[in-house]
Amino acid sequence: MNFRKFNAIAAIPAAVAGVAGCGQTKQAQPNIIFIMTDDHTTQAMSCYGGNLVETPNMDRLAREGMRFDNCYAVNALSGPSRACILTGKFSHVNGFTDNACTFDGDQQTLPKLLQQAGYQTAVIGKWHLISEPQGFDYWSILTGQEEQGDYYDPDFNENGTAVTEKGYVTDIITDKALDFIDHRDKSKPFFMMFHHKAPHRNWMPAPRHLGMFNDTVFPEPENLFDDYSGRGRAAREQDMNLENTFTEDWDLKLLTREEMLADTTNRLYKVYSRMPAEVQEKWDSVYAGRIAEYRSGNLKGRELVSWKYQQYMRDYLATAMSVDESIGRLLDHLEKTGELDNTIIVYTSDQGFFLGEHGWFDKRFMYEECQRMPLLVRYPAVLKPGSVSSAICMNVDFAPTFLDFAGVEIPSDIQGMSLRPVMENAGAVPGDWRKAAYYHYYEYPAEHSVKRHYGIRTADYKLIHFYNDIDEWELYDLKKDPHEMNSVYNDPGYAGVQTEMHRLLDEVQRQYGDTDPDETEKVLFHGDRRFQKRGK
Ligand code: SGN
Ligand code: CA
């Protein structure tokens, strides 16, 4: 590790170090560690009641802090979610509507504002916004595979210099984060964005976790065999299902070493070849049984989908183990260095994910499993341990929340709102709190074929409009139909609810300035770069 980079940091923001906001002293500014994983979802966390796996370190954050049960992505895709978090603004305002965009780093962002207020700032891990980070004193971001990065021996851009690190991505990102904490300028508070790649597709576990769930049979979601009869064309015409979309090589890893060596252009080989020989050996032995089982030819129809679901869960959940361990390492480290209680520690993911619900993997839809983001916050100075909040929150709220705690005036053009009143109130929802989360997804036509849509989610209902390619509305009664199996749009029994949800949607779109989605689409839609290249 090159410590000179941290020494260089100390010199940079000296000119602004005294500019603590709102007359607060610098000592009053807490450190902020924002841990964000990629595609981790609440169903895979025991503290959210998930029945798949234990996540002891995430559970510790929930036990010692606050769990938010209604935090939503406003555009459930990586780049867009990250841009919303950095700016506190919706996609149509920050300009990053889909993964083929390039982030306009010249705009106002959270790290720039915190830096101006005397914070030392860093981003480590997945960035995915194409343009070089601005507002960070230190960055070490994943490069390669269109910035998704690699699981093994990943490449980084470290303050403008290309470096390849040996080892497993989650461990390396954690090492870098702990290193930053140790070697930072200790005269300042710090803001660190600590962004994991795991557990993103194609779900490659750390060597120590390879095969750990091979003998585990996971419970299936009750709607694994959804026939989409209760919904419209968007659900039927997606391309993100285990039955047809899930690939034998990339997703299921059903290639022997010999087969991979015979076709070194295969994507699985490309990532396999990054692993050291002893890990490749372990990989070969772990996947041999799976390959043999598949090739026995006995798996067909529903049984085959169930089997794919088991393999998917084995890889996804084993990959996510490294993230839980990373949180454990971070908490231990902060405890040892005496920084644990004066640091706001946030755990979230760029969006949720489908773990077989509706027969799907991936995200993008405004349905519960992926619209909902995990959000855990530990900060004992303010938060009641073990508290839970049902306040409707969005990822655009993170920036104003951190600014608020840092004593920085929240710029009036930021669209999210500070969660501080909820946090200070043991999670209780203030009387004047917002009634709906807004959503707008743009990336279509593109990989996974999820049609563009917008909508709102309130405590009890969800209204969605698929407005492009088709013109279909869906309405869900979330109390009666939590798995969103039957749209009740145009059901006379819901006429009043429907009218009220339309009124609220209009109001929210006016409030956020997203009144003409068709126009936004013409101006901002970029399509999916890889999809265009493939010409699919
Ligand atoms: C890759 C994945 C997709 C995934 C996108 C976006 N395909 O393209 O399955 O939806 O990333 O994910 S893969 O064949 O390369 O694995 S995001 O989280 O970065 O938005
Ligand atoms: Ca993601």
Side-chain angles (χ1 to χ4, degrees):
M1 189 63 63
N2 170 14
F3 294 124
R4 269 179 312 161
K5 68 198 172 212
F6 298 119
N7 296 339
I9 298 167
I12 299 170
V16 292
V19 195
C22 293
Q24 291 201 358
T25 59
K26 277 180 11 183
Q27 286 72 17
Q29 295 180 305
N31 301 319
I32 303 166
I33 298 180
F34 179 76
I35 312 166
M36 182 159 71
T37 41
D38 196 2
D39 296 354
H40 197 223
T41 189
T42 52
Q43 309 94 284
M45 297 168 70
S46 36
C47 52
Y48 274 98
N51 61 355
L52 294 167
V53 78
E54 294 297 318
T55 47
N57 294 297
M58 295 176 190
D59 295 5
R60 176 178 171 194
L61 283 179
R63 201 170 54 243
E64 296 178 3
M66 186 177 285
R67 188 188 83 204
F68 288 81
D69 282 355
N70 285 310
C71 178
Y72 298 102
V74 305
N75 182 354
L77 198 61
S78 167
S81 178
R82 289 158 206 271
C84 292
I85 290 166
L86 280 175
T87 59
K89 297 174 182 173
F90 290 88
S91 306
H92 65 283
V93 175
N94 68 45
F96 201 106
T97 46
D98 60 74
N99 273 344
C101 295
T102 298
F103 185 65
D104 169 14
D106 290 340
Q107 65 187 301
Q108 167 185 286
T109 62
L110 170 67
K112 286 186 194 174
L113 293 166
L114 288 177
Q115 206 176 38
Q116 282 160 22
Y119 273 75
Q120 191 175 21
T121 57
V123 57
I124 299 166
K126 183 166 172 179
W127 172 247
H128 206 195
L129 294 175
I130 312 297
S131 56
E132 200 135 274
Q134 292 188 39
F136 295 97
D137 300 312
Y138 169 66
W139 73 83
S140 190
I141 55 170
L142 288 167
T143 56
Q145 284 195 52
E146 297 278 5
E147 300 221 342
Q148 299 280 8
D150 278 291
Y151 276 111
Y152 286 88
D153 289 3
D155 298 321
F156 289 83
N157 168 348
E158 186 149 301
N159 281 47
T161 305
V163 285
T164 301
E165 308 281 10
K166 289 270 166 226
Y168 184 69
V169 70
T170 306
D171 301 337
I172 294 166
I173 291 170
T174 309
D175 291 343
K176 284 175 184 279
L178 301 190
D179 233 33
F180 171 76
I181 293 171
D182 287 346
H183 297 95
R184 69 187 202 275
D185 173 0
K186 295 198 172 118
S187 68
K188 293 178 186 159
F190 68 92
F191 170 56
M192 177 172 70
M193 301 187 92
F194 181 5
H195 293 176
H196 286 295
K197 170 188 171 67
H200 192 275
R201 192 179 180 193
N202 70 336
W203 317 292
M204 294 174 73
R208 62 188 176 282
H209 299 135
L210 268 171
M212 70 180 288
F213 293 126
N214 271 12
D215 298 323
T216 309
V217 177
F218 293 99
E220 287 180 357
E222 60 189 61
N223 55 2
L224 178 62
F225 296 100
D226 189 354
D227 64 3
Y228 315 119
S229 56
R231 274 132 300 146
R233 279 177 53 195
R236 285 197 292 275
E237 295 177 10
Q238 46 59 43
D239 182 22
M240 48 188 266
N241 54 81
L242 292 168
E243 186 174 6
N244 301 309
T245 318
F246 219 59
T247 59
E248 290 183 12
D249 49 3
W250 186 241
D251 296 317
L252 285 164
K253 307 164 182 95
L254 299 174
L255 289 178
T256 62
R257 178 179 172 81
E258 291 67 38
E259 286 159 349
M260 285 196 270
L261 291 173
D263 177 14
T264 54
T265 61
N266 184 282
R267 280 179 81 199
L268 187 66
Y269 176 72
K270 286 188 181 152
V271 292
Y272 173 88
S273 64
R274 300 181 79 97
M275 302 190 292
E278 67 277 10
V279 181
Q280 289 182 348
E281 265 171 46
K282 185 165 184 195
W283 176 284
D284 296 342
S285 67
V286 159
Y287 289 106
R290 181 186 293 190
I291 294 171
E293 207 172 275
Y294 184 72
R295 293 188 182 167
S296 69
N298 296 331
L299 295 158
K300 296 206 171 56
R302 279 187 166 219
E303 220 188 317
L304 179 57
V305 173
S306 289
W307 185 83
K308 287 183 186 176
Y309 166 76
Q310 292 302 331
Q311 314 318 316
Y312 169 36
M313 283 305 91
R314 286 171 185 169
D315 290 350
Y316 177 97
L317 296 168
T319 305
M321 289 305 288
S322 66
V323 174
D324 192 70
E325 287 179 0
S326 162
I327 295 173
R329 276 185 69 195
L330 173 77
L331 295 177
D332 285 351
H333 193 79
L334 292 171
E335 212 155 17
K336 277 193 205 110
T337 54
E339 303 279 5
L340 185 60
D341 288 349
N342 59 346
T343 302
I344 300 179
I345 302 169
V346 177
Y347 177 76
T348 189
S349 172
D350 58 348
Q351 5 71 205
F353 213 66
F354 293 105
L355 300 184
E357 299 88 357
H358 305 287
W360 297 339
F361 64 100
D362 213 66
K363 54 264 177 174
R364 300 160 189 269
F365 273 112
M366 195 194 160
Y367 296 132
E368 287 299 276
E369 292 81 2
C370 69
Q371 187 190 5
R372 173 174 287 121
M373 301 165 82
L375 179 62
L376 306 172
V377 186
R378 186 191 189 282
Y379 187 39
V382 168
L383 293 171
K384 182 166 169 262
S387 50
V388 174
S389 182
S390 63
I392 292 181
C393 311
M394 296 184 273
N395 52 356
V396 289
D397 298 334
F398 299 166
T401 304
F402 300 151
L403 292 171
D404 198 352
F405 279 110
V408 180
E409 197 176 328
I410 300 166
S412 58
D413 59 350
I414 282 193
Q415 295 180 294
M417 51 204 250
S418 170
L419 303 178
R420 190 171 179 162
V422 175
M423 290 164 68
E424 285 175 341
N425 206 10
V429 186
D432 56 353
W433 198 249
R434 66 160 75 89
K435 300 284 175 271
Y438 185 56
Y439 190 86
H440 194 159
Y441 170 83
Y442 301 82
E443 194 175 278
Y444 180 87
E447 192 177 18
H448 298 307
S449 288
V450 174
K451 298 181 199 299
R452 293 173 213 173
H453 55 291
Y454 57 78
I456 48 167
R457 194 227 193 262
T458 63
D460 295 334
Y461 299 101
K462 187 179 289 186
L463 177 67
I464 310 177
H465 186 205
F466 293 94
Y467 64 88
N468 160 269
D469 188 24
I470 55 173
D471 179 12
E472 290 182 6
W473 290 87
E474 294 179 3
L475 177 66
Y476 295 97
D477 181 339
L478 298 168
K479 288 277 177 302
K480 285 202 184 133
D481 180 22
H483 303 302
E484 298 159 312
M485 298 299 286
N486 289 297
S487 169
V488 292
Y489 197 80
N490 283 342
D491 177 333
Y494 286 89
V497 171
Q498 190 168 309
T499 305
E500 173 53 18
M501 289 295 280
H502 271 289
R503 189 202 62 73
L504 193 55
L505 174 65
D506 286 349
E507 185 183 298
V508 168
Q509 288 194 314
R510 271 198 307 278
Q511 180 190 350
Y512 297 135
D514 195 18
T515 47
D516 190 353
D518 294 333
E519 193 52 38
T520 311
E521 181 189 316
K522 269 184 241 139
V523 177
L524 293 175
F525 184 66
H526 301 83
D528 178 320
R529 229 184 254 126
R530 291 186 332 117
F531 176 82
Q532 284 164 354
K533 260 192 251 156
R534 284 191 202 142
K536 231 170 40 179

